[in-house]
PDB file of all heavy atoms in Angstrom:
ATOM      1  N   ILE A  44     105.305 103.802 129.415  1.00 75.00           N
ATOM      2  CA  ILE A  44     104.612 103.680 130.684  1.00 75.00           C
ATOM      3  C   ILE A  44     105.327 104.476 131.868  1.00 75.00           C
ATOM      4  O   ILE A  44     104.737 105.134 132.601  1.00 75.00           O
ATOM      5  CB  ILE A  44     104.423 102.209 131.087  1.00 75.00           C
ATOM      6  CG1 ILE A  44     103.484 101.496 130.114  1.00 75.00           C
ATOM      7  CG2 ILE A  44     104.001 101.939 132.523  1.00 75.00           C
ATOM      8  CD1 ILE A  44     103.376  99.953 130.402  1.00 75.00           C
ATOM      9  N   LEU A  45     106.625 104.256 131.839  1.00 80.00           N
ATOM     10  CA  LEU A  45     107.474 104.977 132.932  1.00 80.00           C
ATOM     11  C   LEU A  45     107.309 106.462 132.785  1.00 80.00           C
ATOM     12  O   LEU A  45     107.183 107.277 133.849  1.00 80.00           O
ATOM     13  CB  LEU A  45     108.802 104.567 132.834  1.00 80.00           C
ATOM     14  CG  LEU A  45     109.911 105.217 133.909  1.00 80.00           C
ATOM     15  CD1 LEU A  45     109.338 104.948 135.305  1.00 80.00           C
ATOM     16  CD2 LEU A  45     111.295 104.694 133.675  1.00 80.00           C
ATOM     17  N   ALA A  46     107.306 106.972 131.468  1.00 76.00           N
ATOM     18  CA  ALA A  46     107.102 108.429 131.204  1.00 76.00           C
ATOM     19  C   ALA A  46     105.848 108.887 131.786  1.00 76.00           C
ATOM     20  O   ALA A  46     105.674 109.959 132.317  1.00 76.00           O
ATOM     21  CB  ALA A  46     107.354 108.663 129.866  1.00 76.00           C
ATOM     22  N   GLY A  47     104.801 107.966 131.432  1.00 75.00           N
ATOM     23  CA  GLY A  47     103.440 108.442 131.834  1.00 75.00           C
ATOM     24  C   GLY A  47     103.364 108.552 133.440  1.00 75.00           C
ATOM     25  O   GLY A  47     102.689 109.542 134.002  1.00 75.00           O
ATOM     26  N   ILE A  48     103.952 107.567 134.156  1.00 81.00           N
ATOM     27  CA  ILE A  48     103.958 107.624 135.540  1.00 81.00           C
ATOM     28  C   ILE A  48     104.729 108.898 136.126  1.00 81.00           C
ATOM     29  O   ILE A  48     104.159 109.534 136.995  1.00 81.00           O
ATOM     30  CB  ILE A  48     104.680 106.320 136.158  1.00 81.00           C
ATOM     31  CG1 ILE A  48     103.850 105.036 135.804  1.00 81.00           C
ATOM     32  CG2 ILE A  48     104.854 106.479 137.593  1.00 81.00           C
ATOM     33  CD1 ILE A  48     104.557 103.809 136.060  1.00 81.00           C
ATOM     34  N   LEU A  49     105.804 109.269 135.463  1.00 79.00           N
ATOM     35  CA  LEU A  49     106.469 110.419 136.081  1.00 79.00           C
ATOM     36  C   LEU A  49     105.695 111.690 135.751  1.00 79.00           C
ATOM     37  O   LEU A  49     105.691 112.646 136.525  1.00 79.00           O
ATOM     38  CB  LEU A  49     107.812 110.359 135.243  1.00 79.00           C
ATOM     39  CG  LEU A  49     108.863 109.499 135.669  1.00 79.00           C
ATOM     40  CD1 LEU A  49     110.089 109.405 134.807  1.00 79.00           C
ATOM     41  CD2 LEU A  49     109.336 109.536 137.151  1.00 79.00           C
ATOM     42  N   VAL A  50     105.006 111.662 134.521  1.00 77.00           N
ATOM     43  CA  VAL A  50     104.231 112.893 134.266  1.00 77.00           C
ATOM     44  C   VAL A  50     103.090 113.025 135.213  1.00 77.00           C
ATOM     45  O   VAL A  50     102.764 114.129 135.684  1.00 77.00           O
ATOM     46  CB  VAL A  50     103.740 112.903 132.806  1.00 77.00           C
ATOM     47  CG1 VAL A  50     102.695 113.963 132.446  1.00 77.00           C
ATOM     48  CG2 VAL A  50     104.893 113.074 131.782  1.00 77.00           C
ATOM     49  N   ASP A  51     102.381 111.940 135.482  1.00 75.00           N
ATOM     50  CA  ASP A  51     101.223 111.838 136.372  1.00 75.00           C
ATOM     51  C   ASP A  51     101.794 112.326 137.877  1.00 75.00           C
ATOM     52  O   ASP A  51     100.949 112.888 138.684  1.00 75.00           O
ATOM     53  CB  ASP A  51     100.673 110.523 136.574  1.00 75.00           C
ATOM     54  CG  ASP A  51      99.849 110.235 135.181  1.00 75.00           C
ATOM     55  OD1 ASP A  51      99.524 111.206 134.479  1.00 75.00           O
ATOM     56  OD2 ASP A  51      99.602 109.039 135.020  1.00 75.00           O
ATOM     57  N   ALA A  52     103.027 112.047 138.113  1.00 80.00           N
ATOM     58  CA  ALA A  52     103.570 112.450 139.440  1.00 80.00           C
ATOM     59  C   ALA A  52     104.104 113.872 139.513  1.00 80.00           C
ATOM     60  O   ALA A  52     104.775 114.314 140.458  1.00 80.00           O
ATOM     61  CB  ALA A  52     104.730 111.494 139.842  1.00 80.00           C
ATOM     62  N   GLY A  53     103.845 114.556 138.409  1.00 83.00           N
ATOM     63  CA  GLY A  53     104.334 116.018 138.356  1.00 83.00           C
ATOM     64  C   GLY A  53     105.723 116.139 138.047  1.00 83.00           C
ATOM     65  O   GLY A  53     106.390 117.242 138.181  1.00 83.00           O
ATOM     66  N   GLN A  54     106.399 115.134 137.600  1.00 82.00           N
ATOM     67  CA  GLN A  54     107.868 115.159 137.241  1.00 82.00           C
ATOM     68  C   GLN A  54     108.082 115.142 135.754  1.00 82.00           C
ATOM     69  O   GLN A  54     108.782 114.312 135.124  1.00 82.00           O
ATOM     70  CB  GLN A  54     108.581 113.909 137.835  1.00 82.00           C
ATOM     71  CG  GLN A  54     108.373 113.754 139.325  1.00 82.00           C
ATOM     72  CD  GLN A  54     109.175 114.889 140.054  1.00 82.00           C
ATOM     73  OE1 GLN A  54     110.146 115.426 139.607  1.00 82.00           O
ATOM     74  NE2 GLN A  54     108.685 115.304 141.287  1.00 82.00           N
ATOM     75  N   LEU A  55     107.544 116.257 135.089  1.00 80.00           N
ATOM     76  CA  LEU A  55     107.659 116.343 133.560  1.00 80.00           C
ATOM     77  C   LEU A  55     109.155 116.387 133.199  1.00 80.00           C
ATOM     78  O   LEU A  55     109.536 115.742 132.199  1.00 80.00           O
ATOM     79  CB  LEU A  55     106.915 117.576 133.147  1.00 80.00           C
ATOM     80  CG  LEU A  55     106.986 117.870 131.590  1.00 80.00           C
ATOM     81  CD1 LEU A  55     106.364 116.692 130.876  1.00 80.00           C
ATOM     82  CD2 LEU A  55     106.181 119.111 131.284  1.00 80.00           C
ATOM     83  N   LEU A  56     109.963 117.252 133.849  1.00 84.00           N
ATOM     84  CA  LEU A  56     111.389 117.334 133.497  1.00 84.00           C
ATOM     85  C   LEU A  56     112.092 116.008 133.616  1.00 84.00           C
ATOM     86  O   LEU A  56     112.817 115.661 132.701  1.00 84.00           O
ATOM     87  CB  LEU A  56     112.082 118.365 134.434  1.00 84.00           C
ATOM     88  CG  LEU A  56     113.562 118.655 134.169  1.00 84.00           C
ATOM     89  CD1 LEU A  56     113.722 119.188 132.665  1.00 84.00           C
ATOM     90  CD2 LEU A  56     114.169 119.628 135.158  1.00 84.00           C
ATOM     91  N   LEU A  57     111.849 115.339 134.642  1.00 84.00           N
ATOM     92  CA  LEU A  57     112.496 113.972 134.870  1.00 84.00           C
ATOM     93  C   LEU A  57     112.013 112.947 133.659  1.00 84.00           C
ATOM     94  O   LEU A  57     112.792 112.146 133.195  1.00 84.00           O
ATOM     95  CB  LEU A  57     112.060 113.302 136.168  1.00 84.00           C
ATOM     96  CG  LEU A  57     112.807 112.076 136.591  1.00 84.00           C
ATOM     97  CD1 LEU A  57     114.370 112.237 136.509  1.00 84.00           C
ATOM     98  CD2 LEU A  57     112.408 111.701 137.911  1.00 84.00           C
ATOM     99  N   ALA A  58     110.734 113.072 133.342  1.00 81.00           N
ATOM    100  CA  ALA A  58     110.278 112.208 132.223  1.00 81.00           C
ATOM    101  C   ALA A  58     110.971 112.500 130.888  1.00 81.00           C
ATOM    102  O   ALA A  58     111.206 111.536 130.144  1.00 81.00           O
ATOM    103  CB  ALA A  58     108.713 112.444 132.043  1.00 81.00           C
ATOM    104  N   VAL A  59     111.341 113.736 130.702  1.00 82.00           N
ATOM    105  CA  VAL A  59     112.117 114.199 129.509  1.00 82.00           C
ATOM    106  C   VAL A  59     113.556 113.692 129.554  1.00 82.00           C
ATOM    107  O   VAL A  59     114.110 113.238 128.583  1.00 82.00           O
ATOM    108  CB  VAL A  59     111.977 115.569 129.237  1.00 82.00           C
ATOM    109  CG1 VAL A  59     112.844 116.121 127.994  1.00 82.00           C
ATOM    110  CG2 VAL A  59     110.508 116.023 129.036  1.00 82.00           C
ATOM    111  N   ILE A  60     114.102 113.780 130.794  1.00 86.00           N
ATOM    112  CA  ILE A  60     115.488 113.587 130.910  1.00 86.00           C
ATOM    113  C   ILE A  60     115.915 112.059 131.070  1.00 86.00           C
ATOM    114  O   ILE A  60     117.003 111.612 130.559  1.00 86.00           O
ATOM    115  CB  ILE A  60     116.086 114.264 132.126  1.00 86.00           C
ATOM    116  CG1 ILE A  60     115.999 115.799 131.890  1.00 86.00           C
ATOM    117  CG2 ILE A  60     117.452 113.935 132.419  1.00 86.00           C
ATOM    118  CD1 ILE A  60     116.388 116.700 132.959  1.00 86.00           C
ATOM    119  N   PHE A  61     114.905 111.244 131.648  1.00 82.00           N
ATOM    120  CA  PHE A  61     115.326 109.823 132.069  1.00 82.00           C
ATOM    121  C   PHE A  61     115.828 109.039 130.984  1.00 82.00           C
ATOM    122  O   PHE A  61     116.646 108.061 131.039  1.00 82.00           O
ATOM    123  CB  PHE A  61     114.194 109.209 132.829  1.00 82.00           C
ATOM    124  CG  PHE A  61     113.255 108.397 132.053  1.00 82.00           C
ATOM    125  CD1 PHE A  61     113.452 107.044 131.679  1.00 82.00           C
ATOM    126  CD2 PHE A  61     112.109 109.039 131.531  1.00 82.00           C
ATOM    127  CE1 PHE A  61     112.520 106.323 131.036  1.00 82.00           C
ATOM    128  CE2 PHE A  61     111.223 108.316 130.802  1.00 82.00           C
ATOM    129  CZ  PHE A  61     111.415 107.000 130.528  1.00 82.00           C
ATOM    130  N   PRO A  62     115.376 109.134 129.660  1.00 84.00           N
ATOM    131  CA  PRO A  62     115.840 108.340 128.546  1.00 84.00           C
ATOM    132  C   PRO A  62     117.388 108.417 128.290  1.00 84.00           C
ATOM    133  O   PRO A  62     117.858 107.489 127.746  1.00 84.00           O
ATOM    134  CB  PRO A  62     115.108 108.817 127.340  1.00 84.00           C
ATOM    135  CG  PRO A  62     113.761 109.423 127.827  1.00 84.00           C
ATOM    136  CD  PRO A  62     114.236 110.030 129.117  1.00 84.00           C
ATOM    137  N   VAL A  63     117.940 109.516 128.826  1.00 87.00           N
ATOM    138  CA  VAL A  63     119.469 109.583 128.728  1.00 87.00           C
ATOM    139  C   VAL A  63     120.121 108.522 129.339  1.00 87.00           C
ATOM    140  O   VAL A  63     121.254 108.088 128.981  1.00 87.00           O
ATOM    141  CB  VAL A  63     119.863 111.008 129.273  1.00 87.00           C
ATOM    142  CG1 VAL A  63     121.333 111.131 129.140  1.00 87.00           C
ATOM    143  CG2 VAL A  63     119.219 112.157 128.378  1.00 87.00           C
ATOM    144  N   ILE A  64     119.628 108.073 130.489  1.00 87.00           N
ATOM    145  CA  ILE A  64     120.261 106.975 131.243  1.00 87.00           C
ATOM    146  C   ILE A  64     120.437 105.773 130.466  1.00 87.00           C
ATOM    147  O   ILE A  64     121.693 105.274 130.372  1.00 87.00           O
ATOM    148  CB  ILE A  64     119.662 106.721 132.537  1.00 87.00           C
ATOM    149  CG1 ILE A  64     119.539 107.999 133.485  1.00 87.00           C
ATOM    150  CG2 ILE A  64     120.202 105.606 133.393  1.00 87.00           C
ATOM    151  CD1 ILE A  64     118.580 107.905 134.630  1.00 87.00           C
ATOM    152  N   PRO A  65     119.391 105.108 129.943  1.00 85.00           N
ATOM    153  CA  PRO A  65     119.706 103.844 129.134  1.00 85.00           C
ATOM    154  C   PRO A  65     120.437 104.183 127.825  1.00 85.00           C
ATOM    155  O   PRO A  65     121.284 103.296 127.378  1.00 85.00           O
ATOM    156  CB  PRO A  65     118.226 103.430 128.743  1.00 85.00           C
ATOM    157  CG  PRO A  65     117.357 104.617 128.955  1.00 85.00           C
ATOM    158  CD  PRO A  65     117.989 105.301 130.137  1.00 85.00           C
ATOM    159  N   LEU A  66     120.352 105.380 127.305  1.00 86.00           N
ATOM    160  CA  LEU A  66     121.113 105.738 126.071  1.00 86.00           C
ATOM    161  C   LEU A  66     122.632 105.770 126.505  1.00 86.00           C
ATOM    162  O   LEU A  66     123.481 105.186 125.699  1.00 86.00           O
ATOM    163  CB  LEU A  66     120.790 107.120 125.610  1.00 86.00           C
ATOM    164  CG  LEU A  66     119.437 107.193 124.804  1.00 86.00           C
ATOM    165  CD1 LEU A  66     119.047 108.505 124.414  1.00 86.00           C
ATOM    166  CD2 LEU A  66     119.413 106.282 123.582  1.00 86.00           C
ATOM    167  N   ALA A  67     123.003 106.360 127.660  1.00 89.00           N
ATOM    168  CA  ALA A  67     124.452 106.380 127.986  1.00 89.00           C
ATOM    169  C   ALA A  67     124.878 104.829 128.202  1.00 89.00           C
ATOM    170  O   ALA A  67     126.048 104.614 127.962  1.00 89.00           O
ATOM    171  CB  ALA A  67     124.544 107.126 129.390  1.00 89.00           C
ATOM    172  N   ILE A  68     124.016 104.066 128.949  1.00 88.00           N
ATOM    173  CA  ILE A  68     124.465 102.676 129.017  1.00 88.00           C
ATOM    174  C   ILE A  68     124.632 102.012 127.768  1.00 88.00           C
ATOM    175  O   ILE A  68     125.671 101.317 127.544  1.00 88.00           O
ATOM    176  CB  ILE A  68     123.421 101.920 129.935  1.00 88.00           C
ATOM    177  CG1 ILE A  68     123.371 102.506 131.313  1.00 88.00           C
ATOM    178  CG2 ILE A  68     123.738 100.424 129.953  1.00 88.00           C
ATOM    179  CD1 ILE A  68     122.212 101.953 132.138  1.00 88.00           C
ATOM    180  N   GLY A  69     123.752 102.245 126.748  1.00 85.00           N
ATOM    181  CA  GLY A  69     123.953 101.669 125.423  1.00 85.00           C
ATOM    182  C   GLY A  69     125.197 102.063 124.781  1.00 85.00           C
ATOM    183  O   GLY A  69     125.873 101.330 124.130  1.00 85.00           O
ATOM    184  N   ILE A  70     125.624 103.398 124.877  1.00 86.00           N
ATOM    185  CA  ILE A  70     126.746 103.867 124.202  1.00 86.00           C
ATOM    186  C   ILE A  70     128.008 103.202 124.846  1.00 86.00           C
ATOM    187  O   ILE A  70     128.823 102.900 124.143  1.00 86.00           O
ATOM    188  CB  ILE A  70     126.814 105.400 124.421  1.00 86.00           C
ATOM    189  CG1 ILE A  70     125.774 106.194 123.577  1.00 86.00           C
ATOM    190  CG2 ILE A  70     128.272 105.908 124.006  1.00 86.00           C
ATOM    191  CD1 ILE A  70     125.664 107.645 123.916  1.00 86.00           C
ATOM    192  N   PHE A  71     128.039 102.973 126.106  1.00 87.00           N
ATOM    193  CA  PHE A  71     129.113 102.335 126.734  1.00 87.00           C
ATOM    194  C   PHE A  71     129.208 100.900 126.299  1.00 87.00           C
ATOM    195  O   PHE A  71     130.291 100.462 126.004  1.00 87.00           O
ATOM    196  CB  PHE A  71     128.951 102.361 128.292  1.00 87.00           C
ATOM    197  CG  PHE A  71     129.930 101.576 129.083  1.00 87.00           C
ATOM    198  CD1 PHE A  71     131.213 102.037 129.254  1.00 87.00           C
ATOM    199  CD2 PHE A  71     129.473 100.378 129.578  1.00 87.00           C
ATOM    200  CE1 PHE A  71     132.168 101.276 129.922  1.00 87.00           C
ATOM    201  CE2 PHE A  71     130.466  99.538 130.246  1.00 87.00           C
ATOM    202  CZ  PHE A  71     131.768  99.987 130.532  1.00 87.00           C
ATOM    203  N   LEU A  72     128.087 100.148 126.282  1.00 85.00           N
ATOM    204  CA  LEU A  72     128.151  98.793 125.798  1.00 85.00           C
ATOM    205  C   LEU A  72     128.579  98.693 124.348  1.00 85.00           C
ATOM    206  O   LEU A  72     129.327  97.733 123.947  1.00 85.00           O
ATOM    207  CB  LEU A  72     126.720  98.156 126.001  1.00 85.00           C
ATOM    208  CG  LEU A  72     126.295  97.998 127.519  1.00 85.00           C
ATOM    209  CD1 LEU A  72     124.892  97.467 127.534  1.00 85.00           C
ATOM    210  CD2 LEU A  72     127.296  97.024 128.187  1.00 85.00           C
ATOM    211  N   ILE A  73     128.197  99.632 123.510  1.00 79.00           N
ATOM    212  CA  ILE A  73     128.620  99.660 122.095  1.00 79.00           C
ATOM    213  C   ILE A  73     130.092  99.738 121.965  1.00 79.00           C
ATOM    214  O   ILE A  73     130.730  99.014 121.339  1.00 79.00           O
ATOM    215  CB  ILE A  73     127.916 100.659 121.285  1.00 79.00           C
ATOM    216  CG1 ILE A  73     126.419 100.396 121.114  1.00 79.00           C
ATOM    217  CG2 ILE A  73     128.515 100.836 119.953  1.00 79.00           C
ATOM    218  CD1 ILE A  73     125.519 101.541 120.536  1.00 79.00           C
ATOM    219  N   ALA A  74     130.627 100.734 122.673  1.00 81.00           N
ATOM    220  CA  ALA A  74     132.014 101.020 122.665  1.00 81.00           C
ATOM    221  C   ALA A  74     132.872  99.844 123.252  1.00 81.00           C
ATOM    222  O   ALA A  74     133.969  99.574 122.774  1.00 81.00           O
ATOM    223  CB  ALA A  74     132.420 102.244 123.468  1.00 81.00           C
ATOM    224  N   LYS A  75     132.245  99.164 124.222  1.00 82.00           N
ATOM    225  CA  LYS A  75     133.030  98.149 124.916  1.00 82.00           C
ATOM    226  C   LYS A  75     132.963  96.909 124.165  1.00 82.00           C
ATOM    227  O   LYS A  75     134.014  96.087 124.244  1.00 82.00           O
ATOM    228  CB  LYS A  75     132.381  97.902 126.258  1.00 82.00           C
ATOM    229  CG  LYS A  75     133.102  96.915 127.226  1.00 82.00           C
ATOM    230  CD  LYS A  75     134.241  97.586 127.870  1.00 82.00           C
ATOM    231  CE  LYS A  75     134.794  96.543 128.862  1.00 82.00           C
ATOM    232  NZ  LYS A  75     136.064  96.994 129.378  1.00 82.00           N
TER     233      LYS A  75
END
Side-chain angles (χ1 to χ4, degrees):
I44 291 177
L45 180 57
I48 293 173
L49 291 173
V50 171
D51 290 341
Q54 301 293 327
L55 178 60
L56 181 60
L57 185 59
V59 174
I60 294 175
F61 91 88
V63 173
I64 298 173
L66 285 175
I68 296 172
I70 291 171
F71 172 77
L72 292 175
I73 289 171
K75 183 81 173 174

